[in-house]
Amino acid sequence: MDQDLMAKVAAGKVGGMTDSADLALALRLADQADEIARRYFRAPDLGAQRKRDGSPVTEADREIERVLRASIRAEHPGDAFVGEEFGAQGRSRRRWIIDAIDGTASFIVGDPEWSTLIALEDHGDVRLGMVSAPAIGRRWWAMPGTGAWMRPYPSDPSAHPIRLTLTARGNAKDAAIGIWPPPSRLSATERDAAARLAAGTATVLPVLDWSTAAHATPPPSKPSTGSGTCHGALLVATGKLDAFLLLGAGPWDIAAVIPIVEEAGGIFSDLSGQRRTDTGAALFARPDIHQQLLNMAKSPN
């Protein structure tokens, strides 16, 4: 645990955070997840398996989610919980949304760009988001009205959190956008929307033919690969991309990064323009181009 940071949280001095108790709990949860993940990362046997949807899962994913569920239940027994591995538990206006390891495929092969996603929703509105990426030594967090923050750890415990702030840079046709997953894993409707965005913007990562369902050879890397940010939405929050479209996503893939992007000055919505995490689509973008991209993604019919 970063005692210096925790002391600032307790005093309400980190990034203007006012609800220090929830932030402090989220930090403890992130520390627990980091400790478990480090034990498994690059170990010879991760117990990796394929789930029904074809995505990978390891013993680390399961253990992290079990431990975080137990910690939340111990401190807030009335709070609800939903995680990627074990589903939903409880009904409450407060709901924790957890992805134990976002980027399990990277985790399995020993690549460092994976993270734990932690979010707290209140009355359906995400009020806290945290992303912890111990293998690259980064942690991001935000709560509404208090800014989005990144802190390197633990290599430099004296480092102060850095506030993330976006600036307007022009028209959507000049934008750089990341899209994930690749076309072969998208439905025809999703592929059409991705193809329209790819055709209408200047730069698209990964560089693919988004109009076809054919498998790319070699398999493409995520837009965030090599960026030190782990999640495509963080590329937007940190100014490395102008927009990011995530398709076929669950709430656990989206919720934690919503406050971070929004507090940095960006906008989040699904492709209908609604601020929802349950439709499978998430568009994160600079505020000056978000609506342009939504219009671009719409079917001409």
Side-chain angles (χ1 to χ4, degrees):
M1 177 71 70
D2 187 332
Q3 297 298 331
D4 175 61
L5 182 56
M6 286 301 298
K8 293 176 181 178
V9 168
K13 296 179 179 179
V14 177
M17 296 298 183
T18 55
D19 195 346
S20 58
D22 286 333
L23 177 60
L25 175 55
L27 285 166
R28 291 195 298 273
L29 296 174
D31 286 341
Q32 288 177 316
D34 289 356
E35 182 180 356
I36 295 166
R38 286 193 186 101
R39 281 197 281 107
Y40 284 94
F41 186 49
R42 293 175 177 162
D45 183 10
L46 295 173
Q49 298 175 338
R50 289 281 172 183
K51 295 187 285 189
R52 290 182 182 178
D53 63 2
S55 63
V57 63
T58 71
E59 284 303 315
D61 295 83
R62 297 188 181 101
E63 184 176 341
I64 289 170
E65 186 168 320
R66 283 193 294 263
V67 168
L68 268 53
R69 280 177 184 264
S71 294
I72 291 167
R73 188 164 55 246
E75 295 208 28
H76 293 286
D79 286 3
F81 185 106
V82 63
E84 181 176 12
E85 308 311 330
F86 300 115
Q89 176 183 357
R91 295 174 63 89
S92 171
R93 69 176 181 83
R94 284 169 51 98
R95 182 174 73 151
W96 293 86
I97 306 172
I98 306 292
D99 190 347
I101 297 181
D102 179 65
T104 301
S106 297
F107 186 83
I108 289 171
V109 299
D111 289 342
E113 292 190 344
W114 47 269
S115 59
T116 296
L117 308 182
I118 300 169
L120 174 60
E121 186 181 73
D122 194 340
H123 286 298
D125 185 34
V126 182
R127 304 296 299 170
L128 181 154
M130 179 167 292
V131 179
S132 190
I136 60 171
R138 295 288 186 273
R139 191 172 285 178
W140 300 261
W141 69 87
M143 293 177 75
T146 61
W149 303 85
M150 186 279 290
R151 179 170 178 157
Y153 77 99
S155 57
D156 186 4
S158 65
H160 295 290
I162 299 167
R163 187 163 188 166
L164 308 178
T165 305
L166 298 179
T167 56
R169 286 204 295 250
N171 196 283
K173 65 181 177 60
D174 302 314
I177 183 171
I179 305 174
W180 194 257
S184 60
R185 291 166 50 188
L186 300 178
S187 69
T189 300
E190 292 169 336
R191 199 160 49 248
D192 287 346
R196 286 191 287 272
L197 286 172
T201 51
T203 303
V204 185
L205 297 177
V207 180
L208 297 170
D209 180 356
W210 288 91
S211 65
T212 177
H215 288 267
T217 304
S221 298
K222 287 184 176 181
S224 54
T225 300
S227 68
T229 53
C230 294
H231 194 295
L234 295 177
L235 294 172
V236 179
T238 56
K240 293 180 171 67
L241 278 180
D242 300 307
F244 175 64
L245 175 64
L246 182 61
L247 295 164
W252 43 81
D253 298 307
I254 300 169
V257 289
I258 292 173
I260 298 172
V261 171
E262 291 181 338
E263 285 298 301
I267 295 179
F268 156 75
S269 76
D270 65 10
L271 286 179
S272 70
Q274 299 181 85
R275 193 174 177 273
R276 295 178 57 173
T277 64
D278 60 351
T279 64
L283 177 65
F284 301 89
R286 292 196 339 257
D288 51 328
I289 65 169
H290 183 266
Q291 187 59 52
Q292 295 176 53
L293 293 172
L294 286 179
N295 295 341
M296 193 182 295
K298 290 179 182 176
S299 170
N301 297 325

